Amino acid sequence: MDNTTFPDVVELNVGGKLMTTLLATLTKDPESMLAAMFSGRHVISKDKDGRFFIDCDGNLFEYILNFLRFGTLPPKEKALEIYDVAVYFNLQPLVCSLKISREVQYRRGIQEMKNSLDLQEYEKLKNDALGQQYKYFPRR
């Protein structure tokens, strides 16, 4: 057990992107990995300047912080990437909100189809679909 005491204002290095937020923001969802990380029960790496380091794409993590701060969802074109990050950090409110996005539903449907088929059957369906796509939209 580390028993680190965290300041109210936390300086972060998220994948090389520097950010500052409140400890209350990071621990807002008590079931999340972020709340566990900043509970004092775990050792968190620091960069050379003493900022807490989170190994994640900083551009995507901004959307995570904004969700925790304001409850805002990412733009539709980022939904799939943010969904993966939200699953990783176990941010269930965000995961549940993003599950309704068309992009996430599509990927989940593909995964369910893949799980229900054997590998050869799945590969045949995938190749048939790609063949149809390239028939109408040839590669350049």
Side-chain angles (χ1 to χ4, degrees):
M1 190 179 271
D2 184 38
N3 289 331
T4 300
T5 303
F6 295 96
D8 289 338
V9 177
V10 180
E11 291 189 29
L12 302 171
N13 174 343
V14 184
K17 188 166 189 165
L18 307 181
M19 300 178 190
T20 304
T21 192
L22 295 173
L23 179 62
T25 299
L26 292 169
T27 59
K28 190 170 190 175
D29 181 349
E31 302 299 317
S32 73
M33 182 195 301
L34 291 170
M37 289 170 66
F38 288 90
S39 68
R41 297 186 311 255
H42 304 279
V43 176
I44 303 175
S45 297
K46 291 184 177 183
D47 69 9
K48 64 180 176 58
D49 296 316
R51 294 180 197 92
F52 294 101
F53 182 76
I54 297 176
D55 193 13
C56 178
D57 182 320
N59 295 319
L60 298 179
F61 195 78
E62 283 183 342
Y63 294 105
I64 298 296
L65 281 180
N66 282 332
F67 179 79
L68 290 169
R69 288 173 178 142
F70 312 116
T72 56
L73 294 175
K76 289 180 183 181
E77 62 273 7
K78 292 286 184 185
L80 201 49
E81 291 175 290
I82 302 305
Y83 177 82
D84 291 338
V85 176
V87 167
Y88 177 77
F89 285 111
N90 193 35
L91 289 164
Q92 289 305 309
L94 181 53
V95 168
C96 291
S97 295
L98 290 173
K99 276 185 180 177
I100 62 172
S101 84
R102 187 168 50 154
E103 295 80 5
V104 172
Q105 284 182 348
Y106 176 76
R107 185 173 74 184
R108 290 179 73 220
I110 294 292
Q111 188 61 45
E112 287 172 11
M113 181 180 73
K114 186 176 179 180
N115 291 342
S116 70
L117 302 171
D118 68 34
L119 188 56
Q120 284 181 327
E121 199 176 1
Y122 172 77
E123 288 299 324
K124 182 184 179 321
L125 283 172
K126 181 176 84 171
N127 289 333
D128 289 348
L130 288 172
Q132 289 297 319
Q133 180 181 357
Y134 293 136
K135 179 178 174 183
Y136 295 104
F137 304 102
R139 289 184 179 180
R140 294 181 186 198

